[in-house]
Amino acid sequence: MNKINSLFAQRGDRKLLSLYFCAGCPKLDSTADVILTMQRRGIDFIEVGIPFSAPLADGPVIQTAATKALKNGMSLKILFAQLKVIKEQVKIPLILMGYLNPIQHYGIEAFCQSCVEAGVSGMIIPDLPFDDYLNIVKPAADKYDLRVIMLITPETSDERIRFIDNNTDGFIYMVSSAAITGAQKSFDEQKQEYFHHIDSMNLHNPRVIGFGISNAQTLKAAQDNAAGAIIGSKFVDLLDKAEGNADLALDNLFEALAQ
């Protein structure tokens, strides 16, 4: 069974926590250590960001990280090589999150094959048109037993949400707002209504909420309304300030999430 499906099938009532970081930032060779440290510290699954020069859905923190990673020389070829080294040690799902351009340049089929060879369980491609997903990416992903995770936002229609739910497997990435990524102090009433509305739709895929989670209030709101939460910008910022020391960054993250 794909590790993503296995994780959600076995979690019971436990709320999951996922972290995002950008491969190759703050150091080119820090990817393996960050992943293994997160696994050791109890993170349930990891989003590994593929740096791109024009990350349109991302806020300044992740944009800066991507720029630094590219300057460090990070590429998909290097990332897959790094992941292969630790493949046998990684027991939790790894999901690559990146934009369509570098994946197309690498080749969809080749990308999927490299994912399997490197122990990757799925991918998130924020700018992937749904028709291209159905006709091009999904057939290749299915061939290699990979999960393509789709995003929904408060602006996504119920019809489109149900269409996504019926044509994907793994989980649905529920974006907390239509804005770019970045830490928020709280989720307002409008976002809470959005969470409750999606919950009332009784989708068959589990949902995980991301974007804006940075403290106890936003984490609780996300985990109360979904199977778990994804934290990106907050951890990326802390990892950069810790100069790549993942243990220190996690210490500081867990402290922030308790406040």
Side-chain angles (χ1 to χ4, degrees), residues 166-180:
N166 290 332
N167 288 279
T168 61
D169 182 26
F171 69 92
I172 290 176
Y173 191 133
M174 192 170 159
V175 177
S176 66
S177 72
I180 58 175

Side-chain angles (χ1 to χ4, degrees), residues 36 50 81 135 150 226 239:
L36 293 176
I50 303 167
N135 298 318
M150 304 299 290
L239 186 63

Side-chain angles (χ1 to χ4, degrees), residues 11 21 38 41 81 83 90 109 128 137 164 185 193-194 202 212 220 246:
R11 74 178 183 89
F21 78 103
M38 280 200 260
R41 297 290 298 271
L83 295 178
V90 178
E109 176 93 11
L128 175 64
V137 177
I164 289 171
K185 292 183 179 180
E193 289 177 0
Y194 159 60
N202 296 313
K220 184 178 186 302

Side-chain angles (χ1 to χ4, degrees), residues 213-230:
I213 299 168
S214 64
N215 56 23
Q217 184 176 355
T218 49
L219 177 64
K220 184 178 186 302
Q223 293 186 327
D224 283 350
N225 290 282
I230 297 172

Side-chain angles (χ1 to χ4, degrees), residues 19 41 91 94 110 114 136 162 178 201:
L19 299 184
R41 297 290 298 271
K91 307 303 180 184
L94 298 181
S114 292
I136 301 171
R162 292 206 181 278
M201 293 181 70

